[in-house]
Amino acid sequence: MLALSAALRLAPPEVAEALAERFRARWVHAFADEFGLAYPVADALIGAEPLAAAVTSEGRWTAELLARTAAIADPVAAARLIRSYAWFFPGLTEQVFASVTDPEDSRWHTRPGLAHEVRRIARRDPVIVARGPFAEVALVVAEENCARVPYPTAVELCVAVAERGGADALRRLAGAQLGHVGLPELLYAAAESAAPAEKLAACRPPGPQTDPTVIGALMRLRLNSVNWSSKPPSLDPDLLRREHARTPFGGAALAYLSGSPHCPPELVEEALRSEFDRTVARGHDLPFELVHEPKVNRREHLLARFLDRGITSGRFAVERVLVEARPARAMLIALPVEEPSVRRALAALCAPLGADPAAWVAVYRLLADFSGTARELIAAASAAAWTAPNRWPNPEPAVFPIEYRRDARIAFLNLLRCVPEAVSIALAPHLDQRAAQQLLLYASPSASVRGALLAAHAAPGEPAEHLRVVRDAAEPVAALGELVRRCVVLPWEALAEAAPHPDWPEATLWPLVKHPGCPRDFVLAACARLDRWHDGEWVGRGVLAADDVVRHAPHPARALSRLVRDPRVPGARVAEPCDAARALTERLLGDDIEAWTVALHLFETFTGTLPELLEVARASAHHSPAS
């Protein structure tokens, strides 16, 4: 189905509509499998009208089809609708619950039936039980969650219990750990009244009770099941204060909340006490003085996160870091040098050094052990330049594989990345080969700077001569190290030509692909040689681009799930097929419905590349009947 849905999004509209109809049986089978329905039931739901009434142009089920599915009162299909579609189709939950005419029917309560699904959803949205028909589920969810939600929401859960289970259910609920002062007494009083649900409903506090976004966020905080890769919710600060005072949030929840600009300051302080590392790494409004803490400035990753968030959000200026924070080496390594304000500040910091090689070498010599600030470092280097030699201390050669150590070299490199081009050119002969290599690989130097670095540090020789040494070596990766020591940068054009040949050592290919600056031509040549088109280490880590796989990979069906998302996965952002796929299908298939049909029939088993598949489909479409 993924191939068919991708085809619908690639084909012209009139072709897509015809394709959907031609493959109607596939859609019916997919629908039946997804919702646990017999094929005749699924076929009847989709109906005989044009398929566009059941499947959108992106390959999604339509709202009308989902509503018809809700109406058949199938427990498994209902559970699937609630689990995967209700969030994206307003009103669908009510349609599903309306189909439950007998909530006590055991079919609804067996796995994977609807009652079980409501219990599962209630872990993030307990108020769903107030919309659902199941008395026992409402009671159990209220027992488990009243203590986790604010008082108004807890009352709402109790009203749901009273409406479905009456006075006996309220008495049972009152004996649970409800987490709110006075709530058990209120429940006992309501249970003794003539109309328990009405009495409780009259006690609802004013204001919103059931916002699923707010309640869901609070539930995740209470359960410490936060998603660290997502932004924290923008919850009302007073609500957070009240909830924390009632039952304190855990340390992980507080650290997560600290990333929100709405988190109260006192909760941020508590987060620092209980989860220091996580709070420093993601806190939104943290004091600059934390930069002086050894727990921060001696841990490069934590310091980098702190400085990046503080500078890019505008909480403190980079100039303050350069003037007040120490040691200079740690700060210069951790600064976000891609940020324009940081580059401007570092350029201004280094301006007193000019292009004086002795002053710059003094900077590098001092960096390793200098305990002062960055501004003090530059002042000390300027003073030392009068007496210090301009020879690089302890020079090292270029290496393969490259070693990226977060040390004085990286701090020095970050300074050089921000200075005028003329300074880098003047310094080129005075750097050691390792520094030149790092500048070439990590700083994206201009052509003139690159030329100066190579002129100063690369040994003469023809690329073919260097490659012959690697090809004939007993340990080819070690020979690559020698090649880099001679050339500083690798002769990629010659390597790309050599890689496909059987006599070129395979052991060198993956280390070369991982090397910074490896060009696309070499990646493609190495991938073809090793047949790694569908290897997660190559595709999943971004070594190969989608266009590369579309144009060059054999067995295109094996790559499809990595290139496009299944549009039938609810909530998934439907990734557009890449430009290469669109251009290929437009050029080779166009609006030829027969060619599109043949291509889809061949797709799953075709062993060539996608361009070859489309060529075959176009050629054969009108020479043999499509089956």
Side-chain angles (χ1 to χ4, degrees):
M1 293 309 298
L2 189 54
L4 179 53
S5 61
L8 294 185
R9 287 149 57 207
L10 286 167
E14 63 280 3
V15 173
E17 186 175 341
L19 277 177
E21 291 295 344
R22 285 194 176 189
F23 290 89
R24 172 182 286 266
R26 289 195 189 182
W27 289 111
V28 176
H29 276 294
F31 183 69
D33 290 345
E34 180 175 349
F35 289 93
L37 301 172
Y39 183 91
V41 176
D43 191 34
L45 284 169
I46 288 179
E49 59 192 67
L51 198 63
V55 181
T56 71
S57 60
E58 288 185 331
R60 297 180 187 266
W61 309 125
T62 63
E64 293 80 4
L65 176 61
L66 298 177
R68 292 199 295 272
T69 306
I72 68 173
D74 180 273
V76 174
R80 173 67 175 173
L81 288 169
I82 289 287
R83 177 171 64 252
S84 301
Y85 291 93
W87 183 264
F88 308 99
F89 291 88
L92 185 59
T93 297
E94 283 67 28
Q95 291 172 318
V96 170
F97 288 151
S99 73
V100 183
T101 56
D102 181 7
E104 302 305 315
D105 187 335
S106 61
R107 296 182 310 128
W108 295 110
H109 297 270
T110 57
R111 291 175 181 252
L114 181 59
H116 172 73
E117 188 58 36
V118 171
R119 283 284 311 273
R120 191 191 67 81
I121 293 173
R123 295 171 194 161
R124 68 173 187 272
D125 179 18
V127 186
I128 190 174
V129 299
R131 301 155 70 189
F134 304 115
E136 183 65 20
V137 172
L139 175 57
V140 171
V141 168
E143 287 176 330
E144 293 175 347
N145 294 293
C146 274
R148 295 170 177 156
V149 296
Y151 183 75
T153 310
V155 173
E156 193 71 20
L157 293 177
C158 297
V159 170
V161 171
E163 290 174 341
R164 288 152 186 78
D168 288 343
L170 279 186
R171 292 188 187 97
R172 175 178 158 186
L173 178 59
Q177 297 294 323
L178 300 181
H180 296 278
V181 175
L183 185 56
E185 292 77 9
L186 177 62
L187 298 187
Y188 281 124
E192 299 304 319
S193 69
E198 287 81 352
K199 180 172 179 60
L200 272 180
C203 297
R204 286 183 179 124
Q209 320 287 330
T210 60
D211 183 337
T213 303
V214 173
I215 302 305
L218 286 172
M219 288 290 291
R220 289 191 294 275
L221 294 171
R222 288 297 183 198
L223 297 171
N224 279 327
S225 61
V226 296
N227 179 2
W228 292 101
S229 63
S230 67
K231 290 183 178 180
S234 297
L235 297 174
D236 177 60
D238 289 335
L239 172 64
L240 291 173
R241 289 187 179 97
R242 288 195 302 271
E243 282 298 289
H244 185 65
R246 180 176 68 84
T247 304
F249 294 115
L254 289 169
Y256 179 68
L257 278 174
S258 73
S260 168
H262 303 286
C263 184
E266 61 270 28
L267 267 62
V268 174
E269 292 175 8
E270 194 158 337
L272 284 168
R273 287 192 293 271
S274 58
E275 284 278 353
F276 184 84
D277 289 6
R278 282 176 167 173
T279 306
V280 170
R282 66 177 294 114
H284 181 273
D285 194 13
L286 302 178
F288 174 80
E289 288 69 25
L290 282 173
V291 79
H292 304 309
E293 290 273 355
K295 289 189 294 185
V296 176
N297 61 40
R298 292 181 183 175
R299 299 163 70 187
E300 293 166 1
H301 176 70
L302 203 58
L303 178 61
R305 292 287 300 271
F306 175 74
L307 293 181
D308 182 57
R309 291 178 68 86
I311 292 169
T312 57
S313 69
R315 290 203 313 276
F316 50 80
V318 61
E319 287 80 6
R320 188 176 181 189
V321 178
L322 301 177
V323 171
E324 298 182 29
R326 61 190 70 213
R329 178 186 57 80
M331 302 304 148
L332 293 174
I333 291 172
L335 282 172
V337 291
E338 302 303 327
E339 181 71 18
S341 64
V342 173
R343 299 179 77 89
R344 290 192 297 271
L346 290 179
L349 177 76
C350 296
L353 302 176
D356 180 0
W360 278 96
V361 171
V363 169
Y364 178 74
R365 185 181 291 108
L366 289 170
L367 261 171
D369 301 315
F370 194 77
S371 61
T373 67
R375 187 169 70 174
E376 292 166 347
L377 168 72
I378 298 302
S382 298
W386 294 97
T387 57
N390 60 8
R391 295 188 305 277
W392 193 269
N394 303 315
E396 296 181 275
V399 291
F400 181 91
I402 183 67
E403 299 173 2
Y404 190 89
R405 297 194 302 265
R406 297 178 69 82
D407 55 11
R409 286 185 175 278
I410 300 304
F412 186 79
L413 172 66
N414 284 345
L415 291 175
L416 276 186
R417 292 172 67 179
C418 304
V419 299
E421 186 177 279
V423 174
S424 297
I425 293 173
L427 292 178
H430 303 276
L431 305 174
D432 72 344
Q433 201 184 43
R434 184 77 59 86
Q437 181 189 31
Q438 291 179 332
L439 273 173
L440 287 163
L441 292 179
Y442 298 121
S444 302
S446 67
S448 54
V449 172
R450 181 181 180 86
L453 291 167
L454 292 176
H457 298 281
E462 291 297 322
E465 172 193 335
H466 298 319
L467 295 190
R468 196 158 37 246
V469 173
V470 177
R471 187 185 59 222
D472 298 337
E475 297 183 15
V477 177
L480 277 174
E482 180 59 32
L483 174 63
V484 167
R485 279 190 288 275
R486 291 182 59 80
C487 301
V488 185
V489 291
L490 289 160
W492 288 113
E493 186 175 345
L495 283 167
E497 291 179 6
H501 295 290
D503 59 347
W504 182 260
E506 282 192 0
T508 66
L509 297 178
W510 180 237
L512 284 168
V513 165
K514 292 191 295 182
H515 194 68
C518 179
R520 184 64 41 196
D521 287 349
F522 185 85
V523 171
L524 298 178
C527 193
R529 171 80 182 280
L530 298 173
D531 189 20
R532 296 293 178 85
W533 297 108
H534 308 294
D535 188 322
E537 195 169 21
W538 291 60
V539 181
R541 295 186 181 180
V543 177
L544 292 173
D547 283 15
D548 299 329
V549 179
V550 166
R551 294 182 188 279
H552 304 290
H555 304 281
R558 291 167 57 188
L560 191 61
S561 63
R562 294 187 183 275
L563 302 178
V564 294
R565 294 287 301 273
D566 188 340
R568 294 174 301 131
V569 176
R573 290 188 59 189
V574 181
E576 279 298 314
C578 66
D579 292 341
R582 192 170 297 283
L584 281 170
T585 53
E586 184 177 336
R587 177 169 60 86
L588 297 174
L589 302 183
D591 59 1
D592 187 340
I593 181 62
E594 301 303 331
W596 279 95
T597 302
V598 172
L600 280 167
H601 280 302
L602 293 175
F603 186 80
E604 292 298 330
T605 58
F606 194 79
T607 58
T609 66
L610 181 62
E612 291 167 345
L613 165 65
L614 301 183
E615 292 275 11
V616 169
R618 183 178 65 173
S620 62
H622 302 287
H623 290 83
S624 61
S627 56

